[in-house]
Amino acid sequence: YQVSKKRVYRIFKELGIKKMPRVKAPLPMQIQITPEFARFLGYYIAEGSTTENTVGVSNQNLGILKDCAESVKSTLGISSRIIPGKEIHFYSKQLKLLLEKLGTGKGAHAKEVPSCLFTATPEIIGNFLKGYYLGDGNLRIRSKGVVVTGSSKSEKLIQGIGLLLLRLGITPTFEFNHSSEMYNVHVYG
């Protein structure tokens, strides 16, 4: 039988299917949050975005982009494309849907810490925070000491980062910068 593409698309539309269902490689039935994948989640929360079928993470550091690629490849088997000095792309609708299911939020104002991390081990939390701070972190050395700051447009994300720091025994302080409209979490040392 020969069926035209237009007819197949029309039938899918009538059935409420928006796109042709196809999957290159299915995700595992159970996904364990490894230290590497937790670090990727941190990178994504800090500098990530999604489009219809793509997950991207922006960063000028090639080492961070390679770490993103290796973390996702080793955990989920998903390949990527690195644009050196700019970003990494994962062409995977499944990864996008996984990030949504984990509750990462969509857009800078809506990002948040995935709830599964609040009960994670210190090693997992530490790797997530490492990824986050390498993306959206700032280190200032002042005469009074060192200040490590995380910044975001999302208040909920900054509150979640603060809770994770508390889980590690680190007491943060919070601030809202009115000129930049950014929420900040500071750790003084």
Side-chain angles (χ1 to χ4, degrees), residues 17-150:
I17 300 171
K18 293 183 180 176
K19 294 286 178 195
M20 297 283 279
R22 63 186 177 107
V23 175
K24 282 185 182 177
L27 294 178
M29 289 299 288
Q30 290 188 344
I31 297 171
Q32 183 177 356
I33 305 292
T34 62
E36 295 78 21
F37 190 65
R39 202 166 47 255
F40 165 75
L41 288 174
Y43 295 140
Y44 173 76
I45 291 292
E47 300 290 349
S49 62
T50 60
T51 60
E52 193 170 321
N53 295 316
T54 305
V55 173
V57 176
S58 299
N59 201 297
Q60 294 179 350
N61 184 318
L62 184 59
I64 288 174
L65 298 177
K66 285 182 177 181
D67 189 37
C68 280
E70 291 169 17
S71 299
V72 173
K73 181 74 172 169
S74 68
T75 306
L76 304 174
I78 297 172
S79 298
S80 59
R81 179 172 169 250
I82 294 176
I83 302 168
K86 190 172 180 188
E87 61 195 347
I88 183 169
H89 292 152
F90 299 92
Y91 300 100
S92 171
K93 189 169 188 173
Q94 290 184 307
L95 180 57
K96 176 194 170 194
L97 294 173
L98 174 62
L99 292 169
E100 288 175 6
K101 284 284 188 195
L102 287 172
T104 58
K106 187 170 183 169
H109 290 85
K111 288 230 178 130
E112 56 187 281
V113 173
S115 60
C116 62
L117 293 176
F118 294 118
T119 57
T121 65
E123 180 185 19
I124 298 296
I125 292 171
N127 274 279
F128 172 80
L129 290 172
K130 178 180 180 179
Y132 173 75
Y133 278 102
L134 285 171
D136 271 348
N138 179 313
L139 174 68
R140 286 182 287 160
I141 301 173
R142 303 180 345 184
S143 61
K144 296 179 185 177
V146 175
V147 181
V148 178
T149 301

Side-chain angles (χ1 to χ4, degrees), residues 7-20:
R7 183 166 185 217
V8 171
Y9 283 125
R10 185 178 49 77
I11 292 169
F12 276 126
K13 187 176 181 179
E14 289 173 3
L15 293 172
I17 300 171
K18 293 183 180 176
K19 294 286 178 195
M20 297 283 279

